[in-house]
């Protein structure tokens, strides 16, 4: 076979044909290959027929009811693996050049996210052991300051304010609910408790600057109500203890309450306008050159969010259970 012949292949065979041949061989048939490559079965047959024509011999033969590669088919399949394999290697090399998945990953999150983010970071670091995570847990106001100062690679927060120069992707649901100790009289209410009635209760609320506080104050404001907290605490764990101790009611993120609700240490009250449906967002600064680790983590978060279809249940409950076992 002379040079002219080889050039003939280069000019006539296409990468797409190699890709189709590889998919048909790897997946064992036209229909599976068509599904994988998101093309129709007739276009698979057309491309394979063209390939056969260029190679000058059949790629497959039917023995009994099954299709087998011919000798030429096997040679073409080896060539497909080599060509596509070296393209994949090139792609990997280039992405290494752009910055591999290693080094510091600086993530800052609002306090309510501290209940699920460690599990996501844990799963990520297991996959990419050369990544060194740095996690800052702060309230909304402090997080906005960090965003302004471009202090971290990636942020997790609730409602993203208008006018902030960031890209924000919703990742998980964040429902806010009103909690009470299990023996609270309002826990026996069958109908939704009016907000007007609930504000007569003693409340333990987060500090000003908290997104949870801002959202609840906003809801009350829409109903022309205001609430003077009985106590202000900057920490949802302390708030939970206070509610369990009967010091008052509070507003917390449902995902932060899994253990206490499961163990019946707290109950969620049926209150009009609640739960408040909010979401957590993965946020990066617009135009910021993300490190390989940050970009890959962002993709991982979005993928995990899709996989769990907007419910943090899986990463969270798994980790929570192990924490619970340890505590008891
Ligand atoms: P916070 O924020 O921790 O400041 O209450 C939570 C949120 O904004 O969802």
């Amino acid at each position: 076979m002379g040079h002219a012949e080889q050039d003939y292949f280069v000019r006539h065979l296409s990468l797409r044909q190699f890709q189709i041949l590889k998919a048909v061989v790897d997946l064992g048939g036209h229909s599976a290959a068509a599904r994988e490559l998101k093309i129709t079965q007739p276009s698979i047959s057309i491309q394979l027929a063209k390939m056969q024509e260029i190679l000058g011999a059949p790629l497959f033969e039917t023995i009994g009811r099954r299709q087998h590669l011919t000798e030429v088919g096997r040679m073409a399949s080896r060539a497909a693996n080599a060509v596509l394999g070296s393209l994949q290697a090139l792609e990997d090399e280039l992405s290494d050049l752009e910055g591999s998945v290693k080094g510091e990953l600086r993530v800052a999150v609002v306090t309510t996210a501290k209940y699920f983010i460690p599990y996501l970071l844990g799963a990520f670091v297991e996959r990419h052991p050369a990544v060194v995570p740095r996690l800052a847990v702060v309230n909304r106001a402090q997080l906005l300051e960090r965003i302004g100062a471009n202090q971290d690679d990636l942020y997790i927060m609730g409602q993203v304010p208008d006018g902030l120069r960031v890209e924000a992707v919703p990742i998980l649901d964040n429902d806010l609910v009103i909690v009470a100790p299990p023996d609270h009289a309002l826990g026996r209410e069958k109908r939704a408790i009016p907000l007007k009635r609930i504000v007569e209760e003693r409340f333990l609320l987060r500090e000003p600057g908290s997104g949870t506080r801002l959202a609840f104050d906003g809801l009350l404001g829409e109903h022309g109500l205001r609430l003077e907290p009985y106590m202000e605490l900057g920490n949802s764990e302390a708030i939970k203890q206070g509610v369990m101790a009967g010091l008052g009611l509070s507003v917390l993120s449902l995902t932060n309450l899994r253990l206490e609700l499961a163990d019946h240490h707290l109950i969620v009250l049926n209150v009009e306008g609640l739960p408040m449906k909010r979401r957590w967002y993965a946020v990066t600064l617009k135009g910021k050159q993300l490190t390989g680790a940050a970009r890959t983590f962002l993709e991982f978060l979005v993928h995990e969010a899709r996989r769990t279809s907007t419910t943090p249940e899986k990463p969270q409950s798994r980790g929570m259970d192990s924490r619970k076992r340890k505590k008891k």
Side-chain angles (χ1 to χ4, degrees):
M1 209 181 268
H3 282 295
E5 285 291 325
Q6 282 186 8
D7 192 39
Y8 178 78
F9 283 177
V10 172
R11 277 185 290 119
H12 290 85
L13 287 172
S14 73
L15 285 175
R16 189 62 163 166
Q17 285 160 357
F18 279 131
Q19 191 192 24
I20 288 172
L21 176 63
K22 182 167 165 47
V24 170
V25 173
D26 288 354
L27 302 171
H30 286 210
S31 54
R35 268 198 305 279
E36 168 77 14
L37 299 175
K38 300 195 173 54
I39 54 178
T40 62
Q41 285 197 40
S43 47
I44 294 230
S45 308
I46 291 168
Q47 289 303 327
L48 289 179
K50 274 194 191 154
M51 205 173 185
Q52 288 191 172
E53 203 180 298
I54 297 161
L55 296 178
L59 296 168
F60 294 94
E61 57 195 357
T62 309
I63 298 169
R65 298 184 60 204
R66 292 197 52 207
Q67 278 217 319
H68 295 268
L69 281 171
T70 59
E71 180 64 21
V72 171
R74 269 195 297 280
M75 286 156 72
S77 166
R78 270 200 300 274
N81 286 336
V83 168
L84 297 172
S86 62
L87 282 182
Q88 184 58 53
L90 174 63
E91 204 173 307
D92 292 348
E93 274 169 22
L94 287 185
S95 77
D96 272 359
L97 255 189
E98 281 170 21
S100 50
V101 188
K102 62 180 185 204
E104 274 197 1
L105 170 65
R106 286 159 306 168
V107 180
V109 307
V110 285
T111 66
T112 49
K114 72 177 175 219
Y115 293 86
F116 66 82
I117 199 72
Y119 303 107
L120 289 171
L121 266 178
F124 183 73
V125 171
E126 203 170 300
R127 258 186 230 187
H128 303 286
V131 170
V132 183
R134 301 266 179 262
L135 178 64
V137 180
V138 294
N139 74 17
R140 176 186 174 83
Q142 292 158 336
L143 192 100
L144 288 172
E145 270 176 35
R146 293 181 80 104
I147 293 178
N150 183 17
Q151 234 173 303
D152 312 272
D153 297 315
L154 190 142
Y155 305 89
I156 308 267
M157 69 184 304
Q159 188 66 43
V160 180
D162 292 339
L164 206 59
R165 290 190 46 76
V166 292
E167 311 274 1
V169 192
I171 51 167
L172 298 167
D173 289 343
N174 174 20
D175 290 1
L176 297 186
V177 293
I178 294 188
V179 284
D183 57 357
H184 199 282
L186 290 177
R188 288 190 287 277
E189 287 289 326
K190 292 278 173 289
R191 278 172 301 160
I193 305 159
L195 270 175
K196 211 166 66 215
R197 164 71 187 84
I198 210 82
V199 293
E200 291 165 10
E201 292 291 315
R202 284 199 313 228
F203 263 84
L204 314 182
L205 288 185
R206 288 281 306 278
E207 75 287 5
S210 143
T212 310
R213 171 78 180 267
L214 189 74
F216 186 51
D217 283 348
L219 176 74
L220 294 180
E222 281 168 27
H223 290 78
L225 298 168
R226 265 193 85 247
L227 182 61
E228 215 35 72
Y230 178 63
M231 272 169 85
E232 261 175 12
L233 296 110
N235 180 314
S236 50
E237 287 303 313
I239 290 184
K240 283 192 241 175
Q241 298 299 330
V243 176
M244 285 186 243
L247 284 174
L249 309 181
S250 192
V251 183
L252 290 168
S253 171
L254 187 59
T255 51
N256 298 177
L257 295 163
R258 233 163 267 284
L259 281 180
E260 292 77 7
L261 294 179
D263 291 346
H264 309 290
H265 293 317
L266 287 174
I267 55 168
V268 171
L269 294 182
N270 176 13
V271 180
E272 85 178 345
L274 284 115
M276 294 187 75
K277 296 276 176 200
R278 302 180 76 229
R279 307 194 80 178
W280 278 292
Y281 293 82
V283 171
T284 50
L285 283 178
K286 240 186 206 141
K288 183 177 166 88
Q289 188 68 40
L290 292 183
T291 62
R295 202 178 47 243
T296 314
F297 185 55
L298 179 60
E299 282 160 16
F300 171 81
L301 284 179
V302 172
H303 178 263
E304 278 301 298
R306 254 189 233 133
R307 198 174 64 79
T308 55
S309 62
T310 72
T311 311
E313 204 101 343
K314 278 188 189 151
Q316 191 173 29
S317 56
R318 226 187 294 140
M320 288 283 207
D321 284 350
S322 58
R323 202 179 75 159
K324 182 167 146 190
R325 272 197 299 277
K326 236 179 268 161
K327 247 177 76 174
K328 292 212 154 178

